[in-house]
Amino acid sequence: MPPHCQFSLVGGQHFRTRAIGFLFDIEQRELDAKDVYDTLPLAKEQIVNARFKHWLDRAVFDKYFHGFTGKYDRCFVFKWELRHIPQRLYGFLCHPRPDTMPFFELCVLMYFATKGEDTNPTILDRINRLRQDPAVREAIAGTYPEFSGRKKPWTN
Amino acid sequence: MDKLNQHWTSRTIDNFVFQVASDFTMQLEKKLEGGPIRNKELAERLKVTASAVSQVLNNPGNFKLRSMTEYARALGLKLAVVAYEDGDPGNKKGPINSAIFYECWKRAGRPRDFFDLRGNLVIRPIYYGVSPMAAGTENTGKNCPEQIPTLFAGTTETVSVQ
């Protein structure tokens, strides 16, 4: 999917010390989190937006969203239900403003899945691979230039 | 205003109500998670089915003040309705999470009435190495800590000056 992936922030939220965005691929559509979010029915959009705001407010509640441990410790998931079927948006966390605001956190959502109790590790493996891909970093750097890792040239 | 640049809770009153109700149900669910009352017992206390409780908690948009009070009381909680000015009359930033008001009340020594607020109540702020305002997205200050504490995780001291 890289190098054609793009990144955009979620609309309609206020980002202070955290932000949420989607990584997506217009051509292959494998990264489907944004497509699913954009076509949510109103009632579910409200639930997901409220979950997003709780995370942006730095609330902690595993039933709504959580990270993972071990080799997936940068992966993240937002959770809700549709007719008792668990719905999930998977992505990863990063610090896209290392120079000017190191504690600023970004959740980059990529995949949608419906699931049982256990998370499919295949998705998390794919996220782990993609989050280290230079093309993904470049896509995010379009919004957060510091994330490219390139130092600004001295001007004086 | 451009729909995308508007906070989602500004688009309709229903959205705003949903967020406020969702903040409330998160408090209820945290209480349920901490026990000892479970969904089934809560349902019995409310004289509704367990699935009705789940439905309300999963989709709180239709909560009315009366039913909010019933749910809170069934869990041994009380309820306050707070109107506030946060310097954001256009609601570009969304509502303040109700748990933040609760946390502030606890940090202020859980005052029961205005008598408890007499004198100069001094609440020592948590020092993050950066002022809360400096943490705004517009700011580019460099003296930022690695991470600021998570909601509910912090502690502070409260001193009442008589």
Side-chain angles (χ1 to χ4, degrees):
Chain A
M1 65 237 40
H4 298 111
C5 59
Q6 296 180 28
F7 173 79
S8 71
L9 289 169
V10 167
Q13 296 281 359
H14 176 64
F15 304 133
R16 187 165 175 260
T17 63
R18 280 179 168 172
I20 301 169
F22 290 108
L23 194 73
F24 57 101
D25 181 348
I26 292 171
E27 290 171 7
Q28 295 180 13
R29 301 256 171 193
E30 189 194 319
L31 303 174
D32 56 355
K34 185 174 188 301
D35 278 346
V36 170
Y37 174 77
D38 287 344
T39 53
L40 283 172
L42 177 66
K44 296 301 162 189
E45 188 191 354
Q46 286 176 325
I47 291 172
V48 176
N49 280 335
R51 300 273 200 272
F52 283 173
K53 186 175 181 300
H54 288 142
W55 183 75
L56 292 168
D57 286 343
R58 291 189 175 256
V60 177
F61 195 34
D62 284 359
K63 190 180 168 186
Y64 292 178
F65 42 75
H66 62 79
F68 296 86
T69 54
K71 67 173 180 172
Y72 304 122
D73 65 351
R74 298 312 297 164
C75 297
F76 201 78
V77 62
F78 281 93
K79 305 153 57 168
W80 72 98
E81 285 190 1
L82 181 63
R83 293 182 202 99
H84 303 294
I85 301 168
Q87 316 278 304
R88 302 287 185 263
L89 285 175
Y90 290 99
F92 67 90
L93 301 178
C94 60
H95 296 275
R97 300 180 61 183
D99 300 329
T100 57
M101 201 188 279
F103 62 90
F104 187 85
E105 249 183 325
L106 172 68
C107 182
V108 182
L109 296 172
M110 302 156 84
Y111 291 104
F112 169 78
T114 57
K115 63 171 275 294
E117 279 305 300
D118 299 319
T119 297
N120 180 356
T122 320
I123 287 181
L124 301 184
D125 283 329
R126 268 185 280 167
I127 290 170
N128 259 351
R129 243 189 343 266
L130 277 173
R131 74 182 174 83
Q132 298 171 70
D133 192 303
V136 170
R137 287 188 77 89
E138 277 304 312
I140 296 168
T143 304
Y144 296 102
E146 288 172 32
F147 199 59
S148 70
R150 285 191 296 270
K151 294 286 178 195
K152 275 186 189 170
W154 290 102
T155 50
N156 57 350
Chain B
M1 192 192 286
D2 177 9
K3 194 182 169 191
L4 283 179
N5 291 328
Q6 231 180 341
H7 196 273
W8 77 277
T9 58
S10 283
R11 291 175 198 156
T12 64
I13 286 291
D14 281 348
N15 282 354
F16 197 99
V17 168
F18 191 95
Q19 181 68 58
V20 172
S22 180
D23 292 349
F24 173 73
T25 52
M26 187 171 73
Q27 288 182 293
L28 297 186
E29 294 204 83
K30 274 174 178 271
K31 179 77 175 171
L32 279 167
E33 205 174 57
I37 302 167
R38 298 285 169 204
N39 277 33
K40 194 179 163 210
E41 192 179 342
L42 175 62
E44 284 168 9
R45 289 184 183 193
L46 291 165
K47 297 182 176 62
V48 297
T49 62
S51 67
V53 169
S54 295
Q55 201 175 355
V56 167
L57 295 179
N58 285 327
N59 192 358
N62 294 324
F63 247 142
K64 299 282 184 286
L65 188 55
R66 184 181 181 83
S67 51
M68 290 169 92
T69 307
E70 286 169 349
Y71 272 71
R73 296 298 300 126
L75 285 169
L77 300 168
K78 292 183 181 176
L79 182 74
V81 180
V82 182
Y84 57 92
E85 288 179 3
D86 65 350
D88 179 31
N91 190 36
K92 290 178 183 167
K93 299 174 182 175
I96 306 288
N97 191 313
S98 56
I100 290 175
F101 290 105
Y102 183 35
E103 191 65 25
C104 290
W105 176 76
K106 286 193 286 184
R107 290 180 188 198
R110 301 172 184 259
R112 289 217 59 88
D113 55 27
F114 292 108
F115 182 80
D116 290 343
L117 291 174
R118 73 198 186 283
N120 299 316
L121 189 72
V122 179
I123 301 170
R124 291 187 186 143
I126 294 174
Y127 180 64
Y128 298 138
V130 61
S131 75
M133 290 311 293
T137 44
E138 308 79 14
N139 185 276
T140 55
K142 296 215 170 194
N143 299 320
C144 299
E146 269 296 294
Q147 200 153 19
I148 63 174
T150 321
L151 186 62
F152 307 118
T155 56
T156 189
E157 290 178 70
T158 305
V159 180
S160 182
V161 178
Q162 302 296 321

